[in-house]
Amino acid sequence: MKRPAPELAETLHLGIPRRPGRAMLAALRHLLGRPRATGEILLARLQGRRLRARQKLAALVGIDHRLALPAGILDRFPPAPVPPRDAIRVFGDGVLVPGAAARIAAAFAADPELQAVYGDALIQDRARGPVRPLLPPVFDADLLAAIDYLEPLLACRPGALAPETQPSGPADAAFQIAERYGARTIGHLPEILAIRRGDPADTVSPAGEGGRHRHRDALRRHLDRSGQTASRIVLDEHGLLQVEHPLPDPRPLVSVIVPTRDRLDLLRPCLDSLATCTDWPNLEILVCDNDSREPETLAFLQNLEREGRGGVVPCPGPFNFAAMNNAAAARARGALLVFVNNDVEAFRPDWLARMAREALRPEIGAVGARLLDGEGRIQHGGIVLGTGGLVTHAHRHFPGDAPGYLAGLRATHAVSAVTAACLMVETRKFRAVGGFDDADFAVDFNDVDLCLRLNAAGHRTLLVPGAVLHHRESASRRWTREARARHEREIAALKKRWGPLLVQDPHYHPGFDSDLSTHARLRPGFPEAGPAPVRRPPA
């Protein structure tokens, strides 16, 4: 029996929730098994602290997407009577809504450097079925390689494409424009510009086989034109296209840096996992020892050096995470640095190779991994600026096997920052920006600051979800009055240095609720909004 073609919303991973019955049973088990935490949630609710109650509930029982809109919302977006004028070329299978053509023309008129724009879309796969919002980030060629989020609409300025070319679709056109003019000439209008109703059995739709082959061909041509002929395109088990960039032969030395203060119960399994679950032939382990005192820990570190399994970098004095990592990085001999917390454990051998394939690209700075917490849920899927009050981890508390919105937990894509709990960067790039700032960000936000400085130097930050590890977050940290005061100072320093960027992350759509876990809920009133400025990739 032929398997039915997937729906477009499913193919694009537009917030498809998990099985509600199973999720409800799991939530009840968590609530009944944690009476104290459940009581705190009820108390917060009774006190009128609804957001606090929702955040605690998400942390306790997990969270998934609640993004579906009623079918009736499409009545507010009838088809546009006229297409764009002035020889503006439009690609995609979406239907423009009223006012979209004027907004596109106005965007081109306001910015002569803008060569193409795309917007948001509402997608309904079946008549009277749920409507899913397509809320894309700023232009990201890495994400576009895996998933064609431009399929409903891409509008191109007259002359943006070479006269002799006839793109096969929006992704093909976008790749050509990015190659010709640069990624920043492709803008995103964060408002509903198109509606897409479709039959998933349509062989030319992105949900059908024809659409997948078309996208793969466009990606192959893009890689060849941009000098990446050695990069392979692999179709993964989820139907996503993954670009596998080549690794040098022989593979370079990688220095893995692990800070610790005692806590051998964390350090030992961390180092054991790095040794046994890392498929990399040339590895250097450096442990930053911050005044360990326990005899068992000291004996372990002595044996580590004596047996040649790793080196120990003494880092005495008050705990300064950034300074400890800088000290080890100065001693490191590897071409690549990997900063790993002592409460992180590897369990898939290919994690390091997957990260290295990206970190060795000249245009890439920091590279992060997908991290799972003690419950097997998402602990880190990249760092999103301007959410949770300041910054937060993307898809926090989602199920560990969730695809993420727009495949954000499966497809390699650009983010503003990644956590130093598992962060890879080329040594030369790390040293060129001065390493971690150990003066202003001794403990917190040093990873965010490093990534933003690498971004400012022209190196994009990537999340590689295919590299997945376990992380028992803050298992080795204890809050004190002094620690909280230091944390507040570092918050102030982050706001002072990067304030404008903290207002709205370019890789995160403003249509999402910024107070709960990311990508989980739409902001109140969505999609009501006035004209919004064009968003572009960071310079």
Side-chain angles (χ1 to χ4, degrees):
M1 181 176 178
K2 185 177 179 181
R3 183 183 177 185
E7 296 177 341
L8 180 59
E10 178 185 351
T11 302
L12 293 178
H13 302 293
L14 300 183
I16 308 301
R18 293 169 64 82
R19 300 184 184 96
R22 183 175 297 180
M24 181 64 71
L25 288 175
L28 287 174
R29 283 197 299 269
H30 278 93
L31 290 169
L32 295 174
R34 307 276 183 85
R36 181 175 179 179
T38 302
E40 292 176 351
I41 294 170
L42 293 174
L43 179 61
R45 179 70 177 178
L46 290 172
Q47 292 175 337
R49 300 161 63 193
R50 294 188 177 185
L51 177 58
R52 182 64 172 167
R54 290 169 63 200
Q55 291 173 336
K56 283 182 171 291
L57 182 63
L60 179 61
V61 306
I63 198 168
D64 58 18
H65 300 289
R66 292 289 186 271
L67 304 178
L69 297 167
I73 195 172
L74 296 182
D75 295 337
R76 294 154 53 184
F77 297 95
V82 293
R85 300 175 181 177
D86 302 323
I88 293 174
R89 298 181 67 180
V90 177
F91 299 91
D93 58 7
V95 177
L96 292 179
V97 303
R103 289 288 294 120
I104 291 168
F108 286 137
D111 189 346
E113 294 184 358
L114 195 65
Q115 300 298 321
V117 294
Y118 59 96
D120 307 337
L122 296 178
I123 294 177
Q124 184 186 49
D125 289 308
R126 303 182 309 278
R128 295 182 297 279
V131 176
R132 308 274 180 187
L134 171 56
L135 306 179
V138 294
F139 181 72
D140 179 0
D142 286 283
L143 179 61
L144 186 60
I147 187 167
D148 190 0
Y149 63 87
L150 299 179
E151 184 61 34
L153 171 70
L154 180 77
C156 303
R157 178 189 293 276
L161 294 162
E164 68 276 8
T165 63
Q166 185 59 45
S168 60
D172 193 16
F175 282 138
Q176 292 185 43
I177 290 172
E179 294 159 16
R180 191 178 185 188
Y181 300 101
R184 279 186 53 79
T185 64
I186 301 176
H188 167 232
L189 279 168
E191 55 185 288
I192 304 298
L193 295 185
I195 303 296
R196 202 276 187 183
R197 293 183 176 94
D199 178 1
D202 182 359
T203 57
V204 299
S205 81
E209 285 301 314
R212 182 174 294 159
H213 290 312
R214 181 186 68 186
H215 186 58
R216 183 175 188 139
D217 291 344
L219 176 58
R220 182 72 266 170
R221 292 192 295 270
H222 163 64
L223 293 173
D224 292 344
R225 289 192 303 264
S226 55
Q228 303 176 72
T229 55
S231 297
R232 298 173 57 235
I233 301 175
V234 179
L235 183 67
D236 72 9
E237 67 270 28
H238 305 296
L240 297 176
L241 298 180
Q242 302 283 9
V243 178
E244 191 176 89
H245 299 286
L247 288 168
D249 187 15
R251 296 188 182 184
L253 176 67
V254 174
S255 298
V256 182
I257 296 170
V258 184
T260 197
R261 175 187 289 172
D262 289 314
R263 292 308 302 264
L264 190 57
D265 60 318
L266 298 175
L267 181 64
R268 192 197 302 272
C270 172
L271 297 187
D272 286 347
S273 73
L274 295 178
T276 60
C277 293
T278 304
D279 183 14
W280 193 267
N282 205 4
L283 212 60
E284 174 187 48
I285 304 293
L286 295 174
V287 177
C288 312
D289 179 29
N290 181 218
D291 287 333
S292 291
R293 294 284 188 256
E294 297 174 1
E296 190 178 2
T297 303
L298 297 176
F300 176 84
L301 294 177
Q302 290 172 0
N303 289 336
L304 186 74
E305 287 197 303
R306 184 171 59 249
E307 296 168 2
R309 293 183 291 117
V312 178
V313 181
C315 299
F319 179 68
N320 186 319
F321 180 85
M324 293 165 65
N325 280 302
N326 283 341
R331 172 175 160 175
R333 298 177 293 112
L336 286 166
L337 302 173
V338 185
F339 301 98
V340 176
N341 278 14
N342 65 349
D343 52 2
V344 167
E345 296 177 29
F347 66 98
R348 293 185 184 175
D350 64 348
W351 70 274
L352 194 148
R354 285 177 176 268
M355 296 177 74
R357 290 184 187 278
E358 309 300 338
L360 289 168
R361 295 164 58 187
E363 71 274 20
I364 302 304
V367 172
R370 174 165 53 108
L371 301 180
L372 306 180
D373 64 17
E375 299 282 346
R377 300 186 305 226
I378 299 299
Q379 187 274 328
H380 172 262
I383 292 177
V384 181
L385 309 179
T387 56
L390 188 64
V391 301
T392 192
H393 289 186
H395 291 101
R396 185 75 181 272
H397 306 309
F398 273 70
D401 61 351
Y405 187 80
L406 280 178
L409 295 173
R410 289 178 178 169
T412 296
H413 63 281
V415 292
S416 287
V418 292
T419 178
C422 184
L423 183 154
M424 177 183 285
V425 61
E426 274 195 282
T427 305
R428 63 180 181 86
K429 297 170 186 172
F430 179 80
R431 292 173 177 169
V433 298
F436 291 107
D437 184 340
D438 53 21
D440 289 330
F441 305 104
V443 179
D444 293 316
F445 310 117
N446 40 64
D447 43 14
V448 175
D449 175 70
L450 172 67
C451 292
L452 294 180
R453 284 187 286 118
L454 285 164
N455 296 349
H459 304 297
R460 293 185 296 121
T461 299
L462 290 185
L463 177 77
V464 182
V468 55
L469 303 93
H470 290 299
H471 181 208
R472 291 186 284 175
E473 183 189 25
S474 298
S476 58
R477 289 182 59 182
R478 297 292 181 268
W479 282 105
T480 64
R481 182 179 298 178
E482 292 76 13
R484 291 191 182 279
R486 184 264 313 145
H487 180 69
E488 292 299 323
R489 291 194 299 271
E490 290 173 345
I491 288 176
L494 188 71
K495 290 180 177 179
K496 180 178 180 180
R497 180 173 297 177
W498 301 109
L501 287 179
L502 300 178
V503 174
Q504 174 61 55
D505 192 315
H507 305 289
Y508 188 64
H509 197 286
F512 291 114
D513 186 343
S514 63
D515 291 327
L516 202 59
S517 179
T518 72
H519 304 91
R521 306 288 186 270
L522 298 171
R523 61 168 169 73
F526 180 88
E528 299 296 342
V534 175
R535 305 198 310 156
R536 298 208 204 177

